[in-house]
Amino acid sequence: MTSFLQLVADDLRQRFAHDLSRVVVVFPNKRAGLFMSELLLNGEAEVPVWAPRYLTIGELFDHYSTLVQNDPIDTTCRICRLYDRLCKAHVPAADAVELDAFYGWAERILFDFDDVDKNMADADALFRNLSDLRELDNTDFLTPEQVEVLRQFFADFDPERRSEIRERFRLLWENLNPIYHALNRELAAEGLAYEGALYRRVVEDLSNDGQRLTDDDCTYAFVGFNVLDAVEHRLFSLFREAGKALFYWDYDVFYTSPERAHFEAGLFLRENLRAFPNALPLEHFDNLRHIGHVEVVAASTEVVQAQSVASWLERFPETNPRDTAIVLCNEEVLQPLLHAIPDSIREVNLTKGFPLGHTEVVTLVERALAEWERRTAKFEVKSCLCDLIERVNTGARALIEATTFSTERFESVLQSEAYYRMSSLLNRLLRIAEAERLRVNISTLRRLVRQLVRQSTIPFRGEPLAGLQVMGVLETRCLDFERVMMLSVNEEVLPQVPTDNSFIPYLLRRAFGLTTPERKTAVYAYYFYRLIQRTRHLRLLYNTSADGKGAGEMSRFITQLMVESDLPIEHRVITSPQRSTMNHPEEVIKPQDLLTRLARVDNEGRQYYKFSPSALNTYLRCPLLFYYKYVCGYKEPLPDSEDIQPNILGSIFHQAAEDFYAEMLERGGVVDPKHLEACLKDPAFFEPYIRRAFVAQQVEGEHLLEAKVVDIYLRNLLRHDQKLGRFSLKATERTYAIQLTLPEGSAVPEVTLEGTIDRIDLVSLDGVETLRVLDYKTGGKEERVARVEQLFTVRGADHRHYMFQTFLYCELLRDTPLAAGYPMAPALFFLNHSAREDFSPYLKIAHQEVRDYVSDAPEMRGHLAELVAEILDPTHPFTPPEHTKVCSHCPYFALCYQ
């Protein structure tokens, strides 16, 4: 079956013979151009061909633009400044709008502006002031549908109906139009624009000055497009009217014919074919019903899907691997997939780069940002960025000096490129900060860095025209393969669950022709059908497990294919790996450069070693987990759910509790039960603390249920504190460190142990003034041991990690002036159990509450030294836990069970 790009290449050769030098081929992405050049030869290697020029649609807009695209982060910062200026113009006494609190909203505003411009909507009509309701009587320039939607929208937001949320939205909405125009004026004055504005400016300028197209003697071939924004539709029209365009649409009559108008996949193609007739005849586009072999496979896990690849590939031993594509709908399956590809496949071409977030430089930057977060001095963003850049550059130099170009060369080159990428990202932020537009606190800066890291990959360089093709869904556009295997074809993965990241309500978006969830679904439907329509062997796998990505259901596209097509579809179920080189965790020999990987460098260039309670707990639960996280520096995947995760809920509580008690510390630290009683009587007392905590943790939106849970936890804490009587608060969220001497003969003589204690207070326990070392826990259950030794010997899923952490905090505090003369009581405050009448936070050893840690300190310190020495011992491998119960929710599961 002839591929789509081959049809295009043959048609161009027929039209322009061997001279395509005045032809510009425009693709949705770059990849298709690499294949097109080879196909233009069509076996005539001895005949010279003048190749056309290849552009992406974005590059074509840039070519005709007099403006330059501005950095999105810089544009977002400008939106915040403009909003602050407009708010003060209306209400001079209003508090300043801080970028830290407004950044997430500004990102949404930029998204909306970009969508408005790409779809050439009337911003003045869309962002109509809510107080201008009467003006709707004279709206001749609007369609009847738009008028009705606006009437309904303004009725719902009647200015007379007051509420805090309504008022906040009203204030924002009424400023969107002035911000939109002010932002465009400001950027244009500097020769800049955000992407949507640049695209709109190009088509408006070309519409007013058609001579620019007439003077261009090139022919433009638009190849493989589907959904067109209004700016793209207008650009195509201008080229068509100038007689300088050829349009090559890739489709199948299966989903574009009039009798199948209900098919989402053909939603945009039907309109495009009417507006811009195809340069290729209809006879080439009836292929899908001729697919030779279709398999729909239900797999028990994502890993099982990946491991089935080997046996499937072995069915085609004599074929060219380049004609086979493995398509990842869930790209998190990439790592287990690479381990599952058989040795017989010599070449593999990856279209997706290696995630920057999985490299060691990200760990370095995260640690540096954590250090800045703990500093008490006033935060200065430029100083922080300069420090981060210097650390990254120092790390890069150390990597180059330590590199041995042997078997580790690939990883060394990969990590070296990662350092370069990170340095570029940080310099990008520094330029914005130097322009005085990035005034944020450390928490927001950390969030921006993480966002940039998530968006960044390290591209693989290789021969894209050779080897097995492994790609994501977007990279398949315009390409055809004889054999296609798609992994994770699950509902909520393909198509993805639409997210409403917009301040423009759905009805307004639909009325003004902006992007809607239905449009996004139709786009993915087209990607699916276009990919499979010319293949001969098709295998579609989906994950039946509901704990993975998606709900354990096959995609609606598979169901549609089963119901609507007459294709012979074979159904299979696989529940165990068909081929596996490792089906259980195995120990890892410690790398020769273990000490180098774990070392840190102080300001004077000296190496030292530091361990946190979390790191030691991780090792005691699973040494392999410690290896992946702290030695290799692999980052855990971020949760896909937009709901607040349990650990974030805990952070919100910690922040709110810290803010509340920090105010008492500023007043001397004495806590009076009468004051706590007054706080509890006010039902809205904790609202400002909780609101600030949500902002500090970068949690956006109105999470009423989660806020209520935090409020309940705070009240449980205060009720418990009331029972203590009058007591003294000594510290909250304070970091302590000790130097721990290791046994003689250890890899290093000493290490630093450092941890941050939630709260330290001085209370009367049975008449004895006792220093409590208190750790808050929003989840979990109480733990007990018979003796201190069990904190180190009971490992794996049964490890008493909460107790271990709190005892370690006592050890960090023991020799400080604050602890002098007082017994220390380690305490765990389990908020989910604190409402019980018999609840006690004090830890127990052999069923006895520990009211003075000092008697246990020598044993604790001795075991700590032995534990750290074991971690650093090069002869002691990283071993899997004895029982695999701990593996069930491990983020690195796929690395062990390959």
Side-chain angles (χ1 to χ4, degrees):
M1 195 174 296
T2 306
S3 71
F4 170 66
L5 287 184
Q6 185 65 70
L7 294 172
V8 175
D10 292 345
D11 190 72
L12 290 175
R13 283 287 302 274
Q14 183 177 355
R15 293 174 186 269
F16 301 98
H18 295 91
D19 186 4
L20 285 82
S21 59
R22 307 307 300 170
V23 175
V24 179
V25 183
V26 184
F27 289 112
N29 59 5
K30 286 180 176 289
R31 185 169 178 77
L34 300 171
F35 287 80
M36 177 67 86
S37 291
E38 183 191 45
L39 295 173
L40 283 170
L41 291 174
N42 196 20
E44 301 179 33
E46 303 300 324
V47 180
V49 176
W50 286 101
R53 186 155 55 109
Y54 302 114
L55 294 177
T56 64
I57 188 66
E59 290 170 341
L60 180 61
F61 274 106
D62 289 340
H63 172 71
Y64 280 101
S65 178
T66 58
L67 304 174
V68 176
Q69 283 192 36
N70 192 39
D71 189 298
I73 294 178
D74 180 69
T75 306
T76 303
C77 295
R78 290 173 187 255
I79 289 173
C80 182
R81 191 184 69 245
L82 290 169
Y83 182 73
D84 179 52
R85 186 186 304 165
L86 287 165
C87 287
K88 287 180 178 177
H90 288 94
V91 186
D95 294 335
V97 177
E98 298 293 339
L99 181 59
D100 302 291
F102 193 74
Y103 189 88
W105 284 30
E107 283 185 308
R108 293 188 183 192
I109 292 171
L110 178 56
F111 170 83
D112 286 336
F113 288 174
D114 190 75
D115 202 21
V116 165
D117 282 324
K118 284 183 176 177
N119 289 288
M120 302 187 74
D122 186 334
D124 293 328
L126 175 60
F127 300 129
R128 180 72 61 182
N129 192 307
L130 295 179
S131 63
D132 293 340
L133 181 60
R134 293 181 181 177
E135 292 188 10
L136 290 175
D137 295 333
N138 299 301
T139 52
D140 296 338
F141 58 94
L142 295 174
T143 66
E145 182 186 19
Q146 290 172 336
V147 172
E148 183 56 35
V149 169
L150 288 171
R151 285 187 189 279
Q152 182 62 47
F153 177 66
F154 293 143
D156 289 343
F157 278 88
D158 185 344
E160 298 303 319
R161 297 164 59 190
R162 303 290 181 181
S163 75
E164 182 182 356
I165 295 177
R166 189 183 302 277
E167 283 300 295
R168 288 167 64 186
F169 184 88
R170 183 188 63 81
L171 180 62
L172 175 66
W173 183 270
E174 293 183 353
N175 279 295
L176 286 180
N177 201 37
I179 293 173
Y180 171 82
H181 290 292
L183 176 66
N184 277 283
R185 285 195 303 269
E186 179 180 305
L187 289 173
E190 300 177 32
L192 303 171
Y194 53 87
E195 187 176 76
L198 184 148
Y199 287 10
R200 185 171 192 162
R201 178 75 171 269
V202 166
V203 297
E204 289 173 348
D205 288 348
L206 290 177
S207 297
N208 296 327
D209 183 14
Q211 192 64 34
R212 291 179 63 188
L213 291 181
T214 305
D215 292 342
D216 187 344
D217 62 351
C218 289
T219 298
Y220 289 77
F222 296 93
V223 178
F225 286 86
N226 174 34
V227 59
L228 300 178
D229 292 324
V231 287
E232 294 169 331
H233 193 282
R234 181 61 183 145
L235 185 72
F236 283 21
S237 298
L238 291 170
F239 276 98
R240 181 197 59 201
E241 293 162 7
K244 309 183 72 59
L246 292 169
F247 300 99
Y248 295 91
W249 305 104
D250 190 10
Y251 64 96
D252 195 281
V253 294
F254 176 77
Y255 53 84
T256 56
S257 59
E259 60 271 18
R260 294 186 184 270
H262 60 286
F263 262 61
E264 299 163 308
L267 179 64
F268 306 110
L269 264 300
R270 286 186 285 269
E271 169 58 29
N272 293 340
L273 288 166
R274 285 192 294 268
F276 310 103
N278 203 356
L280 296 172
L282 180 64
E283 65 194 53
H284 296 300
F285 297 98
D286 183 14
N287 302 299
L288 191 143
R289 62 191 180 95
H290 300 296
I291 298 176
H293 184 220
V294 182
E295 289 179 281
V296 173
V297 182
S300 55
T301 67
E302 300 281 18
V303 175
V304 167
Q305 290 187 66
Q307 291 176 335
S308 72
V309 168
S311 59
W312 185 74
L313 291 174
E314 288 171 354
R315 297 183 191 175
F316 315 104
E318 305 300 326
T319 57
N320 186 347
R322 170 189 152 175
D323 296 328
T324 303
I326 309 295
V327 181
L328 309 181
C329 302
N330 172 14
E331 294 172 7
E332 293 175 8
V333 186
L334 176 60
Q335 283 189 330
L337 170 67
L338 294 180
H339 287 285
I341 294 174
D343 295 338
S344 58
I345 303 296
R346 297 290 184 179
E347 294 179 295
V348 177
N349 182 58
L350 298 175
T351 65
K352 300 297 291 184
F354 191 85
L356 179 61
H358 291 179
T359 59
E360 63 184 32
V361 68
V362 175
T363 304
L364 182 151
V365 171
E366 281 285 350
R367 288 175 177 171
L369 285 168
E371 291 178 14
W372 275 88
E373 208 162 17
R374 290 192 293 268
R375 296 185 184 184
T376 56
K378 183 179 179 181
F379 177 72
E380 211 286 314
V381 65
K382 285 184 283 188
S383 299
C384 178
L385 287 168
C386 289
D387 175 61
L388 295 178
I389 292 168
E390 178 58 31
R391 295 193 194 205
V392 170
N393 292 342
T394 300
R397 288 192 292 269
L399 178 68
I400 293 172
E401 292 170 1
T403 296
T404 56
F405 292 93
S406 58
T407 56
E408 298 181 356
R409 180 180 179 185
F410 171 74
E411 182 168 347
S412 298
V413 173
L414 181 69
Q415 297 297 344
S416 178
E417 179 67 17
Y419 276 92
Y420 170 76
R421 289 267 167 166
M422 180 60 77
S423 181
S424 300
L425 295 179
L426 294 174
N427 274 288
R428 174 179 161 193
L429 290 176
L430 180 60
R431 288 193 296 272
I432 301 173
E434 288 173 339
E436 300 299 329
R437 286 192 285 270
L438 190 63
R439 298 176 180 176
V440 294
N441 62 27
I442 179 61
S443 297
T444 303
L445 179 62
R446 201 170 186 177
R447 173 188 170 192
L448 291 178
V449 171
R450 287 174 175 172
Q451 176 179 311
L452 290 173
V453 167
R454 281 197 301 269
Q455 297 169 346
S456 301
T457 58
I458 302 167
F460 292 104
R461 304 296 183 189
E463 175 49 63
L465 302 181
L468 177 69
Q469 305 291 306
V470 177
M471 55 183 62
V473 175
L474 292 178
E475 287 74 39
T476 65
R477 288 176 290 182
C478 298
L479 304 181
D480 295 303
F481 302 93
E482 290 285 316
R483 294 160 295 282
V484 172
M485 171 186 272
M486 297 184 71
L487 305 182
S488 306
V489 193
N490 279 72
E491 191 67 12
E492 298 183 6
V493 179
L494 189 77
Q496 296 177 351
V497 179
T499 55
D500 188 13
N501 188 30
S502 171
F503 284 116
I504 303 175
Y506 170 78
L507 288 177
L508 286 175
R509 302 189 69 83
R510 193 181 70 182
F512 281 83
L514 306 185
T515 303
T516 60
E518 297 89 347
R519 176 170 165 176
K520 295 177 182 178
T521 300
V523 169
Y524 276 95
Y526 172 74
Y527 291 159
F528 173 79
Y529 280 104
R530 196 227 61 79
L531 170 63
I532 71 173
Q533 64 197 19
R534 292 187 183 85
T535 189
R536 293 195 179 277
H537 299 277
L538 174 63
R539 182 178 246 212
L540 306 171
L541 295 100
Y542 67 97
N543 180 8
T544 59
S545 173
D547 60 356
K549 232 181 180 184
E553 300 176 8
M554 69 171 68
S555 168
R556 71 186 73 175
F557 301 149
I558 297 181
T559 305
Q560 190 177 48
L561 191 68
M562 291 163 51
V563 173
E564 298 280 357
S565 77
D566 295 324
L567 292 170
I569 298 177
E570 177 185 350
H571 294 267
R572 298 188 61 197
V573 176
I574 51 176
T575 57
S576 60
Q578 298 182 356
R579 170 173 177 163
S580 177
T581 58
M582 184 191 303
N583 56 17
H584 59 84
E586 292 185 356
E587 68 179 32
V588 173
I589 302 301
K590 287 179 177 171
Q592 294 182 354
D593 61 345
L594 174 68
L595 295 181
T596 302
R597 295 192 189 194
L598 293 177
R600 304 189 183 195
V601 180
D602 63 19
N603 293 332
E604 297 179 2
R606 294 174 298 193
Q607 284 191 344
Y608 69 102
Y609 300 88
K610 181 163 66 176
F611 292 88
S612 66
S614 295
L616 298 180
N617 258 329
T618 299
Y619 182 84
L620 289 168
R621 284 179 64 82
C622 175
L624 286 180
L625 178 57
F626 179 92
Y627 169 71
Y628 294 135
K629 188 171 184 177
Y630 294 99
V631 179
C632 298
Y634 297 154
K635 305 294 290 183
E636 295 183 23
L638 295 174
D640 295 300
S641 173
E642 293 186 347
D643 297 332
I644 295 179
Q645 302 299 308
N647 62 322
I648 299 299
L649 187 66
S651 299
I652 292 169
F653 168 81
H654 277 71
Q655 185 70 52
E658 180 191 357
D659 290 349
F660 173 74
Y661 280 109
E663 293 178 357
M664 294 191 178
L665 274 174
E666 292 174 359
R667 296 195 296 267
V670 176
V671 182
D672 191 325
K674 293 182 180 179
H675 174 67
L676 299 182
E677 179 66 27
C679 297
L680 288 168
K681 286 182 178 179
D682 182 355
F685 179 80
F686 287 112
E687 284 187 6
Y689 297 97
I690 296 171
R691 189 160 51 245
R692 288 198 299 268
F694 270 76
V695 172
Q697 297 301 321
Q698 292 95 44
V699 177
E700 302 167 5
E702 300 292 332
H703 296 274
L704 301 180
L705 179 60
E706 290 85 353
K708 182 62 176 176
V709 171
V710 174
D711 185 82
I712 291 172
Y713 284 167
L714 288 168
R715 292 179 182 278
N716 287 346
L717 176 63
L718 263 64
R719 291 189 186 98
H720 185 273
D721 287 349
Q722 274 186 290
K723 299 176 183 178
L724 298 172
R726 190 180 177 89
F727 67 92
S728 296
L729 194 66
K730 296 299 182 182
T732 62
E733 296 293 332
R734 184 176 296 180
T735 300
Y736 293 90
I738 61 170
Q739 295 303 117
L740 179 68
T741 302
L742 302 189
E744 186 175 350
S746 299
V748 298
E750 68 174 13
V751 298
T752 301
L753 300 184
E754 181 181 279
T756 301
I757 303 174
D758 288 347
R759 174 172 145 187
I760 305 168
D761 53 31
L762 189 63
V763 303
S764 176
L765 296 181
D766 299 329
V768 179
E769 288 292 293
T770 304
L771 198 69
R772 291 197 313 168
V773 180
L774 192 66
D775 197 30
Y776 302 131
K777 295 298 176 186
T778 52
K781 60 183 179 180
E782 299 174 34
E783 299 172 336
R784 297 179 183 180
V785 293
R787 53 192 181 276
V788 171
E789 180 186 14
Q790 289 182 329
L791 295 176
F792 298 85
T793 58
V794 178
R795 301 191 177 188
D798 296 325
H799 169 57
R800 293 357 184 219
H801 54 292
Y802 295 142
M803 286 190 71
F804 174 86
Q805 183 169 332
T806 311
F807 268 75
L808 180 50
Y809 287 155
C810 289
E811 184 62 28
L812 298 178
L813 190 63
R814 180 166 64 94
D815 294 330
T816 65
L818 182 61
Y822 295 110
M824 277 194 298
L828 276 169
F829 198 89
F830 287 96
L831 291 146
N832 52 334
H833 302 304
S834 59
R836 294 196 333 242
E837 286 295 326
D838 61 344
F839 173 73
S840 172
Y842 304 106
L843 302 185
K844 293 181 180 180
I845 292 181
H847 303 289
Q848 295 294 319
E849 289 186 351
V850 179
R851 296 296 183 91
D852 189 2
Y853 164 79
V854 174
S855 60
D856 298 306
E859 184 179 1
M860 182 73 182
R861 182 167 285 225
H863 286 303
L864 280 171
E866 292 172 359
L867 173 65
V868 176
E870 176 185 316
I871 294 173
L872 298 177
D873 183 357
T875 66
H876 194 289
F878 292 111
T879 57
E882 184 176 348
H883 301 289
T884 58
K885 180 180 177 182
V886 72
C887 302
S888 58
H889 301 301
C890 178
Y892 304 101
F893 179 91
L895 298 179
C896 291
Y897 293 86
Q898 296 171 359

